[in-house]
Amino acid sequence: MNDVLVDLGAVPMATASSAVVVPMQGGAEPPPGEPEFGKASPVALVVILLLGLATAFLIRSMTKHLKKVPASFDAQPDEPADGDAAGPKQP
């Protein structure tokens, strides 16, 4: 594994070296003649399709719940509002 020194800049401590060893990303080059891409695409396609299906079901469920919401949240004259234990007001 290759290591790379990374300079962190000015460090308030009085040390002689202010570097950290960080392993490099990446791996060995693929052998000649083999494609470098396409190995994860079937798995990614399945994940994307499952996410799309879950999103469709969530939208359908949300639409059903939103149809139950009243057009207005004003208190009806025959129903007591929250905190009104006495019931509707009499004129």
Side-chain angles (χ1 to χ4, degrees):
M1 181 172 8
N2 298 334
D3 293 334
V4 175
L5 293 178
V6 177
D7 186 16
L8 297 177
V11 178
M13 298 181 347
T15 59
S17 173
S18 61
V20 176
V21 177
V22 179
M24 287 181 59
Q25 296 281 331
E29 293 287 323
E34 288 190 23
E36 296 182 19
F37 59 91
K39 294 181 180 177
S41 60
V43 175
L45 178 63
V46 170
V47 169
I48 290 172
L49 291 176
L50 288 175
L51 287 172
L53 187 65
T55 303
F57 279 120
L58 287 172
I59 290 172
R60 185 173 147 207
S61 174
M62 188 183 346
T63 303
K64 286 182 183 179
H65 284 288
L66 283 174
K67 287 181 181 178
K68 297 177 186 177
V69 175
S72 173
F73 289 105
D74 295 334
Q76 301 294 327
D78 57 341
E79 294 179 12
D82 291 341
D84 258 353
K89 296 181 180 181
Q90 304 275 336

